[in-house]
Amino acid sequence: MLLNFKVAGFKLFDEQIELDMKVSKGKNCFDLHGTHVLKSSILYGANNSGKTSFVNAVQTFKELFERGNLEKFPFSVFKNFFKKENGIEFEVEFKENEHVYVYGIDVVTHDSLNEYLFINDKCAFYREEGEPRESLDRRFFNESLLEETYKYLDSNELFIAKALDFSKKLDITHAKNIQTFFNRIRFFDNQNPIYFMNLVVEYMKDPDKHELFNSFLSKADVSLTKREITDDYGVEGMTDEDMLKLIRKIRKDTDEKSLETLLKVLKLKSTYRKGNQEISVPSNLFDSIGTNKFANLLLLVMFTIEKGDILFIDELDNSLHYRLARELIKIMNSQANDGAQFIMSAHDIKLLTPLLFRKEQMNFFHRTEDYVEMVSLGDFKEVRNKHKFENLYAKNQIGTLPHPDFDEVLEQWRKKRGSHQKERVEN
């Protein structure tokens, strides 16, 4: 369960940006033995204010942990534009198997790092530029593990990731818990049909999951009654072998496993109804961009709740009607969700309502020429749930709106085009 995430020195963020999921008791949260944690959080802000960079920061931290070292880490690309002398700092606080962990990595240069871990408020270890301190806590990592790990540990490698190599002969419970947490983090990528098709196949094989998915789909008012995987491609006489030949011509670099999944993608059908007539057509050819995104996202939200994972969604409302986005948020915050978390960004102010979110779930990015910050609506003590949040945001009373103004440029362009047209007439 994600409790807190901090990042500094990454892309736009010269100063620390923090997302805190811990709250007082109330709606839309879990009770972890007295610690209340939000089920979801939504990020608002102007374009290029930091929403996507924040999601990228979490993704970069996860990928860095999974890689286990700084090899191929594009430090010069990721570090803050203006304070290039600073490093990049990542820190996450989470709960896994009854332990509370605070794990941090400071990327100092392209080949050196600091790494630290607190377990239940006690420092388990700290490395400064690759070197261990003598104050390592042997209650969490026994002497044999420390000796074995540091014997083979390079200065650009992560201690926790390296410790996982000794799982067969040493107790690495805490390292495994950290690995489990990072494995729970997922990201919505609507550009990857192969990833979603694997989920589709899993759900279609289970009659109960398939029925629940189609029940949601049929109630979404997108003109569909169901989706299913069929035995054909909707093209008379087209065999698997014919389709494989066609795909290989179009996508020459696709591996065999991905080709098999693509065949299933093309066999995914949507059923439309008109009166008493029903017709099934290939989903990815006939359904709109928004409908395909909704179906994929619905599937991933259901999967995330079932697994108790953490899902990050950049631009939730992109290509979605606000009422569809609203229903997805209702699922995320529902009683059916007993262990999953969702962090999403959006622009549609119609989603800024106490009917969907409590104050602490709403966060706003604010960017000036000097700094970027993120503030929670929970910090605005004068704002009550009876207020219309979308009106307050529209009036710049919470968060900061962009103020694009093209009038002067349009007038200059009009005059320039007018003079050019006059020259053409005279010539």
Side-chain angles (χ1 to χ4, degrees):
M1 189 76 66
L2 176 64
L3 305 180
N4 186 284
F5 179 77
K6 298 174 184 175
V7 60
F10 181 83
K11 291 189 174 180
L12 295 176
F13 310 136
D14 52 346
E15 301 297 334
Q16 187 180 87
I17 297 293
E18 177 180 6
L19 177 68
D20 196 0
M21 301 293 283
K22 302 187 295 295
V23 292
S24 59
K25 66 180 181 179
K27 70 174 185 178
N28 297 348
C29 68
F30 307 107
D31 185 354
L32 302 180
H33 306 292
T35 300
H36 297 87
V37 185
L38 292 172
K39 293 184 177 184
S40 67
S41 186
I42 191 164
L43 313 176
Y44 276 85
N47 289 102
N48 209 29
S49 62
K51 303 183 302 298
T52 298
S53 290
F54 184 83
V55 176
N56 288 163
V58 179
Q59 192 165 16
T60 301
F61 191 17
K62 172 183 167 73
E63 291 172 353
L64 178 57
F65 176 81
E66 291 174 341
R67 189 184 305 113
N69 58 61
L70 293 179
E71 290 182 15
K72 299 181 180 179
F73 181 78
F75 177 71
S76 59
V77 175
F78 285 154
K79 66 180 179 179
N80 180 253
F81 313 142
F82 299 107
K83 292 188 177 180
K84 295 185 177 181
E85 69 279 5
N86 293 352
I88 303 173
E89 301 173 6
F90 302 105
E91 181 185 284
V92 65
E93 179 183 3
F94 60 95
K95 189 167 187 177
E96 191 70 41
N97 289 330
E98 303 305 317
H99 293 287
V100 175
Y101 297 91
V102 176
Y103 180 56
I105 299 173
D106 301 340
V107 183
V108 182
T109 66
H110 71 281
D111 61 356
S112 65
L113 55 85
N114 302 332
E115 183 184 13
Y116 58 91
L117 176 68
F118 285 77
I119 304 175
N120 302 326
D121 292 326
K122 292 179 171 52
C123 182
F125 76 88
Y126 178 78
R127 297 168 60 208
E128 187 168 346
E129 303 213 20
E131 294 300 322
R133 286 179 56 181
E134 291 304 317
S135 58
L136 297 168
D137 197 324
R138 268 64 177 178
R139 290 174 296 178
F140 301 116
F141 297 100
N142 61 51
E143 198 72 38
S144 298
L145 177 60
L146 294 171
E147 289 178 0
E148 288 290 327
T149 302
Y150 278 117
K151 186 189 301 182
Y152 301 101
L153 189 67
D154 291 333
S155 61
N156 73 341
E157 291 183 308
L158 302 179
F159 171 83
I160 295 297
K162 196 71 173 181
L164 292 168
D165 294 340
F166 302 100
S167 59
K168 293 183 179 180
K169 58 181 181 178
L170 296 170
D171 181 8
I172 58 167
T173 300
H174 294 296
K176 283 185 175 179
N177 284 343
I178 296 170
Q179 182 185 48
T180 298
F181 168 75
F182 277 106
N183 287 342
R184 293 186 193 281
I185 299 176
R186 300 177 181 275
F187 301 88
F188 176 72
D189 180 5
N190 199 43
Q191 306 303 313
N192 188 350
I194 293 176
Y195 171 74
F196 285 107
M197 198 61 215
N198 291 331
L199 289 182
V200 170
V201 170
E202 179 179 331
Y203 267 68
M204 300 303 180
K205 286 180 179 179
D206 187 311
D208 292 335
K209 293 178 183 178
H210 191 187
E211 182 181 2
L212 179 61
F213 171 74
N214 280 331
S215 295
F216 279 126
L217 198 62
S218 65
K219 296 295 184 180
D221 197 18
V222 292
S223 303
L224 302 184
T225 58
K226 63 181 177 180
R227 273 188 168 189
E228 59 187 346
I229 298 175
T230 61
D231 295 326
D232 63 87
Y233 300 103
V235 179
E236 187 174 351
M238 177 70 75
T239 65
D240 287 354
E241 186 175 347
D242 294 333
M243 185 58 73
L244 279 172
K245 288 180 181 178
L246 181 61
I247 294 173
R248 286 193 181 103
K249 288 181 180 179
I250 300 172
R251 304 180 66 164
K252 296 180 181 179
D253 297 330
T254 306
D255 59 78
E256 290 301 314
K257 186 176 181 180
S258 297
L259 283 172
E260 293 178 9
T261 306
L262 278 172
L263 290 181
K264 295 172 185 175
V265 170
L266 295 170
K267 288 182 178 179
L268 179 65
K269 303 286 183 60
S270 294
T271 299
Y272 288 78
R273 175 181 293 167
K274 184 177 182 180
N276 294 325
Q277 184 181 11
E278 286 191 343
I279 185 169
S280 294
V281 295
S283 301
N284 285 279
L285 297 180
F286 286 87
D287 294 348
S288 69
I289 293 173
T291 300
N292 273 307
K293 176 179 178 177
F294 171 73
N296 289 340
L297 193 47
L298 170 63
L299 193 69
L300 192 51
V301 168
M302 293 172 61
F303 180 82
T304 301
I305 289 176
E306 180 185 323
K307 299 294 184 182
D309 287 343
I310 304 163
L311 179 63
F312 285 80
I313 309 165
D314 194 16
E315 297 195 359
L316 166 74
D317 52 336
N318 185 19
S319 299
L320 289 185
H321 193 281
Y322 83 91
R323 289 192 172 183
L324 274 183
R326 184 177 64 186
E327 293 306 304
L328 287 171
I329 293 168
K330 285 182 180 179
I331 297 174
M332 298 174 194
N333 288 329
S334 70
Q335 293 297 317
N337 179 8
D338 58 3
Q341 290 175 293
F342 301 87
I343 293 89
M344 68 208 90
S345 69
H347 287 283
D348 196 333
I349 64 174
K350 292 185 180 67
L351 302 178
L352 280 175
T353 168
L355 298 177
L356 294 176
F357 297 107
R358 56 190 285 176
K359 286 171 50 179
E360 295 88 347
Q361 291 177 281
M362 305 181 198
N363 302 275
F364 303 91
F365 276 92
H366 172 55
R367 184 182 182 185
T368 70
E369 291 184 358
D370 300 318
Y371 65 91
V372 176
E373 66 176 352
M374 182 173 70
V375 295
S376 168
L377 186 56
D379 296 333
F380 293 79
K381 304 304 180 185
E382 68 278 10
V383 177
R384 300 286 186 266
N385 283 329
K386 65 180 180 180
H387 291 128
K388 293 185 177 180
F389 299 154
E390 64 176 282
N391 291 346
L392 295 176
Y393 185 54
K395 294 177 181 177
N396 261 16
Q397 294 178 355
I398 55 175
T400 304
L401 293 179
H403 297 283
D405 184 358
F406 294 157
D407 291 345
E408 182 180 342
V409 179
L410 281 171
E411 180 61 18
Q412 293 172 354
W413 191 24
R414 182 190 68 79
K415 291 179 179 179
K416 190 173 184 179
R417 284 179 57 81
S419 63
H420 287 172
Q421 288 171 353
K422 185 177 179 180
E423 288 175 6
R424 286 197 296 269
V425 170
E426 292 175 349
N427 294 332

